[in-house]
Amino acid sequence: MTPNSQQTFRLRPEQQAIVHGYGGGKLGIAAVPGSGKTFTLAHLAARLISKSGLEPDQEVLVVTFTNSAVNSFRARIAQILTQDYGLIGHIGYRVRTLHGLARDIVHERPALVGLADDFIILDEKETQEIQRNIVTQRLAEWRDALTQYLDPEVDSRWAWRGFEEILPQLAGNFIKQAKDLRRTPDELLALLPSEPANLDLARFAVSVYADYQRSLAYRGAVDFDDLVRLALDALEREPEYLERLRYRWPYILEDEAQDSSRLQEEMLRLLSGERNWVRVGDPNQAIFTTFTTANPGFLRCFLDRDDVDEKPLSVSGRSAQPILDLANELVRWTAESHPVPALRTTFEYQPHARRGPMRGVIRATDQDDPDPNPPDDTCHIELRYRPDDKIAPLAELDYVISGAERPLLDFGQDAPQDVQETVAVLVPDNNRGYALAEKLRRDHKDVPFEELLRSSTRTRQSVARLLAVLDYLCDPGNPKKLKGAFWAQLSDEWRDLVTADTATTAALTRYFAAAATVEEFLWPRDPGVGTPLPDFAPDYAWVGEELACFQTGVRRWLQVTDLPIDQVVLTIAQDLFDAPADLALGYKIATTLRALANSYPDWRLAQFAEELRSINKNQRRFLGFDDDEVGYAPKPGVVTIATMHSAKGLEWDRVYLLAVSSYDFPSGMSYDRYIAERSFTRFSADGSMIRLNLEAELLAQLDYLVGALLGYEEGLATLEARVERARERLRLLYVGVTRAKRKLIVSWNTGRYAHKGASYGNQPALPLIHLGAYNDYGYE
């Protein structure tokens, strides 16, 4: 469903059964792509708020996966409450990410889990930096023990460089999994036997884990992986606190439940008391499982429980029928005919309703649906799938841009606005997207595009500029903060110019120090004898103009500090920012802080500034300021370049899927290669000629230590990881296909890689070969 259609869309029969039929208890909903699960869950939340008899101090709790979803839910619930029920739009519910909810629980009673009231939460960048430093410090003493994992036939210096690059990631994954298992470093150290030597990788990881936890304790900090564990500890240690939260949130609605981990599910189980718990998700879109703690099996088990009422959301109006047929065929073929039997359980596939609620089959809308599927005659599917139709990586980009039957060049802003399409090029990794963006930027300037790839730090830098001004306004007599506000209001380019010239920098320092007080700087008693502007070099004369403008701006900012926080922020943002993206960010910050003001009417400017600082530095996941999670709306006439992972939840009229090859989408075939089996690691000791997947082997060693495995046999985890990788990539391909509304173009490239002097190339991914034949010839 498109955003516009959601505003006027009436509930379909399936959605009515959920929204109007739910009277409490445990409800599981398996939702296919484009079925309107967020729309349905928002309507259910609004109805519960209106009709379930909530007390004034009770809320419906909505838990979701990303901050963009948090913002979307808030807006939709508020709109429904206002328009459909005539209620105030921001009362009666709370929307949180799982980590945000855990943070709320811990923050309310930090002493229960041994934390100070002012504990801080480190973001992923900070935790990764700490772990990397610990690995570097530890490596010298562990070098001899870890050498056993490297291939003796490759250059040792090259192998160690590669090994050193991945060791922090290995240790980080180990720590995440250990925390999900609620195991401390001391417990793992006690479980480690002195022998055998094939557990040395786990010994190294446990030592890093111990140092890392000591580093967090020294800082008075926790990381994101601690939050859910500590929230569980708090709930288990204080029954009265748990009962109070159960009363506060009598209904819990969980979105994207296929991405929950063991601890996250346990936290919601405790909070719900196994009473009023609604879980919505699609196991077939579980694409975050490899070396993470997410597991779609938890949702599957919930759906299969006898005490859970299951309702389907199987009708989707997003895609034309031929695209739905293609997606359904991918699921059917995998479940019934995949040549690797272990992969036949990849998808939930229950096509016959007589056996229970339908799962894994996308159904088209009825003819009278107000948001019907696009007509078949507007649909175009183009699958380049033949193994002999070889295409080099650069040639694939040319094919998408100009060689396909529906190339990017036939689309652009010359078309009338009302017929412009939304278009996306989806890639399996950021590097492939960067290559396409660079080619368009260099050779095809007439094709407008924007990147939804791994973003830069621009968002956080812009927030930091705004925060510097707010910091000054909280302490307006502080000359140091006044100077910080001046540097913040300079554009990045001008700031670089000033800092590059020592004479100009020194002149500015003397100027700010010359005034006896900030008041003298801003409002001299005798304007004629105020602190004179420095004599800047001719090339820097503009700095004097900036200083004069800054003084005027500060006076204006001080005059608005008594206004509501959103107006204060908007006033400052309009002075600081010129770029549309930064102005939009300023509006988003203003809106977010205004919502906080509604919840905390006693807050003053300093508290809003501190909240913005924690969002930007330590806790930005909770309110949506992470660059990867601010939400995105495709624009007609502009090509979106995105990874398939980041495209989940979005839709476009036309979608190109690139690099659907045996490397990026392995299927358990003999010719497949696996990205985690690196060329510098040695082969398994069993003589199978399988290079060890060290991530998988390390986590298997952890499972053995905690008793989840009866024994550890080297190489088995690598084989199991191959299967899990193939499962996730099948589901990722399914996600990619179901992003397309009318046109779908899929291609692959040979790539090149060398091994022992021989050169090899990729094949088209096995599911692409099948879907290509199915689309062209209609047979299995």
Side-chain angles (χ1 to χ4, degrees):
M1 288 180 290
T2 64
N4 289 335
S5 68
Q6 289 169 348
Q7 298 176 9
T8 59
F9 183 71
R10 72 168 185 262
L11 293 170
R12 294 180 177 128
E14 285 184 334
Q15 296 166 327
Q16 289 177 357
I18 293 169
V19 174
H20 297 288
Y22 179 68
K26 293 185 286 294
L27 174 63
I29 304 171
V32 302
S35 60
K37 64 180 179 62
T38 302
F39 174 80
T40 304
L41 211 58
H43 269 278
L44 176 58
R47 184 170 178 81
L48 289 173
I49 295 164
S50 172
K51 304 294 185 181
S52 65
L54 293 179
E55 298 296 333
D57 55 350
Q58 290 183 310
E59 298 171 317
V60 173
L61 176 63
V62 180
V63 183
T64 187
F65 193 62
T66 67
N67 289 297
S68 58
V70 168
N71 297 331
S72 176
F73 266 115
R74 283 178 179 155
R76 292 181 187 185
I77 294 172
Q79 182 184 43
I80 296 167
L81 285 174
T82 302
Q83 294 183 355
D84 293 2
Y85 297 98
L87 299 176
I88 298 174
H90 62 271
I91 294 177
Y93 62 97
R94 181 179 301 207
V95 187
R96 287 289 188 267
T97 63
L98 283 160
H99 285 96
L101 173 62
R103 184 261 186 187
D104 289 348
I105 293 170
V106 175
H107 191 267
E108 190 168 332
R109 295 291 302 277
L112 282 177
V113 291
L115 294 176
D117 290 344
D118 60 348
F119 77 93
I120 62 174
I121 302 169
L122 301 185
D123 64 24
E124 288 187 2
K125 180 180 179 181
E126 291 171 306
T127 60
Q128 289 169 1
E129 186 63 27
I130 294 171
Q131 291 167 3
R132 179 174 294 279
N133 290 337
I134 293 172
V135 167
T136 301
Q137 295 165 7
R138 283 276 185 177
L139 201 53
E141 65 180 287
W142 282 92
R143 188 180 182 97
D144 291 342
L146 297 179
T147 299
Q148 63 174 301
Y149 294 103
L150 302 181
D151 187 344
E153 296 186 13
V154 304
D155 180 80
S156 60
R157 289 175 297 180
W158 176 82
W160 263 108
R161 281 198 299 270
F163 198 19
E164 289 174 4
E165 286 180 4
I166 69 167
L167 273 174
Q169 178 183 337
L170 296 183
N173 289 340
F174 180 92
I175 292 170
K176 285 178 182 290
Q177 191 66 36
K179 290 186 176 184
D180 194 62
L181 294 169
R182 303 177 79 176
R183 295 289 188 162
T184 67
D186 289 341
E187 290 172 336
L188 295 177
L189 283 169
L191 292 171
L192 269 170
S194 57
E195 299 291 342
N198 66 352
L199 295 177
D200 279 344
L201 194 57
R203 292 188 180 89
F204 172 75
V206 171
S207 70
V208 174
Y209 183 17
D211 286 353
Y212 174 65
Q213 289 303 106
R214 282 191 288 269
S215 180
L216 292 184
Y218 176 78
R219 291 171 166 82
V222 297
D223 62 21
F224 284 122
D225 298 308
D226 285 318
L227 285 175
V228 179
R229 175 180 63 84
L230 293 173
L232 263 175
D233 288 346
L235 297 176
E236 291 173 348
R237 291 174 184 176
E238 185 56 75
E240 292 182 0
Y241 182 39
L242 173 60
E243 286 304 316
R244 189 162 68 250
L245 294 181
R246 284 177 174 174
Y247 170 80
R248 183 186 301 171
W249 301 316
Y251 294 93
I252 296 179
L253 313 183
E254 179 188 1
D255 187 31
E256 302 290 2
Q258 77 279 352
D259 293 319
S260 285
S261 70
R262 179 189 294 103
L263 284 191
Q264 291 165 353
E265 182 186 59
E266 184 59 29
M267 179 178 68
L268 295 183
R269 178 180 288 111
L270 269 179
L271 284 174
S272 70
E274 292 277 355
R275 295 173 300 181
N276 303 320
W277 186 12
V278 179
R279 308 190 73 186
V280 185
D282 183 4
N284 293 350
Q285 295 187 78
I287 56 175
F288 300 101
T289 58
T290 302
F291 304 127
T292 71
T293 55
N295 188 340
F298 297 128
L299 176 59
R300 288 173 171 171
C301 291
F302 183 83
L303 293 171
D304 289 337
R305 286 173 52 173
D306 292 336
D307 61 341
V308 171
D309 183 22
E310 182 181 350
K311 300 290 186 184
L313 280 176
S314 61
V315 176
S316 173
R318 172 183 293 168
S319 305
Q321 185 67 58
I323 295 175
L324 296 185
D325 291 343
L326 204 68
N328 287 333
E329 175 60 16
L330 174 60
V331 173
R332 185 213 63 79
W333 169 78
T334 303
E336 296 181 351
S337 305
H338 199 288
V340 178
L343 294 179
R344 294 177 187 171
T345 58
T346 297
F347 293 107
E348 279 288 287
Y349 183 58
Q350 192 165 282
H352 304 295
R354 64 178 181 273
R355 298 178 183 173
M358 185 178 294
R359 297 183 196 168
V361 177
I362 309 174
R363 297 192 296 138
T365 62
D366 295 332
Q367 291 184 347
D368 62 346
D369 196 288
D371 192 30
N373 303 86
D376 289 2
D377 59 7
T378 67
C379 184
H380 171 80
I381 297 177
E382 185 178 340
L383 307 181
R384 191 165 187 175
Y385 67 93
R386 298 180 185 277
D388 57 350
D389 186 19
K390 297 188 182 298
I391 179 170
L394 290 178
E396 183 189 27
L397 300 183
D398 290 330
Y399 169 76
V400 168
I401 293 171
S402 59
E405 291 182 32
R406 297 290 193 277
L408 284 179
L409 289 182
D410 79 353
F411 149 86
Q413 293 182 321
D414 293 335
Q417 186 64 36
D418 60 345
V419 298
Q420 283 188 341
E421 293 180 311
T422 55
V423 176
V425 181
L426 306 183
V427 293
D429 61 69
N430 285 283
N431 289 334
R432 194 69 180 141
Y434 296 149
L436 175 63
E438 181 57 30
K439 189 170 184 62
L440 290 176
R441 189 178 292 114
R442 184 183 65 245
D443 301 335
H444 301 281
K445 292 181 171 49
D446 56 331
V447 178
F449 72 92
E450 55 190 15
E451 302 172 49
L452 193 59
L453 303 168
R454 185 187 297 122
S455 55
S456 70
T457 59
R458 173 165 180 163
T459 296
R460 291 188 289 278
Q461 290 171 344
S462 297
V463 174
R465 293 176 64 191
L466 179 60
L467 190 57
V469 176
L470 290 177
D471 276 341
Y472 165 71
L473 295 179
C474 293
D475 188 8
N478 189 319
K480 184 177 179 180
K481 291 185 177 180
L482 177 69
K483 185 177 179 181
F486 171 74
W487 285 105
Q489 61 90 41
L490 289 176
S491 68
D492 293 340
E493 181 182 2
W494 285 11
R495 193 182 310 114
D496 291 342
L497 286 173
V498 172
T499 55
D501 186 79
T502 55
T504 301
T505 304
L508 282 171
T509 300
R510 290 193 299 271
Y511 178 69
F512 277 101
T517 64
V518 171
E519 289 82 358
E520 280 295 315
F521 176 84
L522 295 174
W523 296 283
R525 293 188 183 91
D526 185 352
V529 297
T531 305
L533 291 173
D535 292 325
F536 295 106
D539 289 344
Y540 287 86
W542 55 268
V543 178
E545 298 174 5
E546 283 295 309
L547 278 170
C549 291
F550 173 66
Q551 288 174 312
T552 302
V554 172
R555 297 184 194 112
R556 179 169 55 253
W557 300 337
L558 288 168
Q559 291 171 353
V560 301
T561 53
D562 290 332
L563 296 177
I565 185 60
D566 56 317
Q567 296 183 38
V568 175
V569 169
L570 288 174
T571 299
I572 298 170
Q574 289 169 1
D575 287 342
L576 291 185
F577 304 137
D578 295 317
D582 290 335
L583 290 169
L585 176 65
Y587 178 79
K588 179 179 178 62
I589 293 171
T591 303
T592 301
L593 295 184
R594 182 179 61 199
L596 283 171
N598 292 332
S599 300
Y600 303 97
D602 296 333
W603 275 20
R604 296 294 179 260
L605 188 60
Q607 290 156 310
F608 289 115
E610 189 58 34
E611 183 68 12
L612 185 58
R613 188 189 326 282
S614 65
I615 290 170
N616 198 42
K617 185 175 187 296
N618 295 331
Q619 301 161 11
R620 61 179 182 267
R621 279 186 170 186
F622 304 134
L623 294 179
F625 280 89
D626 192 289
D627 292 351
D628 295 330
E629 298 181 352
V630 296
Y632 178 77
K635 301 178 180 63
V638 178
V639 177
T640 304
I641 303 175
T643 63
M644 296 179 194
H645 281 91
S646 63
K648 187 171 179 290
L650 300 173
E651 60 186 41
W652 292 267
D653 294 307
R654 185 194 310 192
V655 169
Y656 300 83
L657 303 182
L658 269 61
V660 184
S661 68
S662 56
Y663 179 68
D664 287 295
F665 294 86
S667 294
M669 299 291 98
S670 59
Y671 52 77
D672 287 340
R673 296 182 301 123
Y674 297 85
I675 191 171
E677 297 175 22
R678 296 172 174 87
S679 56
F680 55 79
T681 58
R682 66 170 170 81
F683 295 100
S684 175
D686 61 6
S688 60
M689 297 303 292
I690 295 174
R691 288 194 184 275
L692 293 179
N693 178 333
L694 294 183
E695 288 96 332
E697 297 297 326
L698 177 57
L699 296 183
Q701 292 178 19
L702 173 60
D703 285 341
Y704 167 65
L705 291 180
V706 300
L709 292 177
L710 296 178
Y712 169 67
E713 183 178 342
E714 186 180 89
L716 289 183
T718 296
L719 293 176
E720 292 172 0
R722 286 184 170 188
V723 173
E724 185 53 44
R725 167 76 172 177
R727 285 181 179 141
E728 186 185 83
R729 303 313 270 194
L730 279 164
R731 293 192 290 261
L732 185 62
L733 181 58
Y734 177 77
V735 167
V737 169
T738 54
R739 300 311 93 193
K741 297 168 67 176
R742 292 179 174 83
K743 299 178 179 67
L744 176 67
I745 299 93
V746 186
S747 66
W748 66 284
N749 68 75
T750 58
R752 302 306 299 174
Y753 68 100
H755 176 60
K756 293 187 176 180
S759 182
Y760 302 86
N762 300 323
Q763 299 290 323
L766 184 63
L768 174 58
I769 294 175
H770 172 77
L771 292 179
Y774 170 84
N775 185 64
D776 287 349
Y777 307 113
Y779 64 78
E780 298 178 11

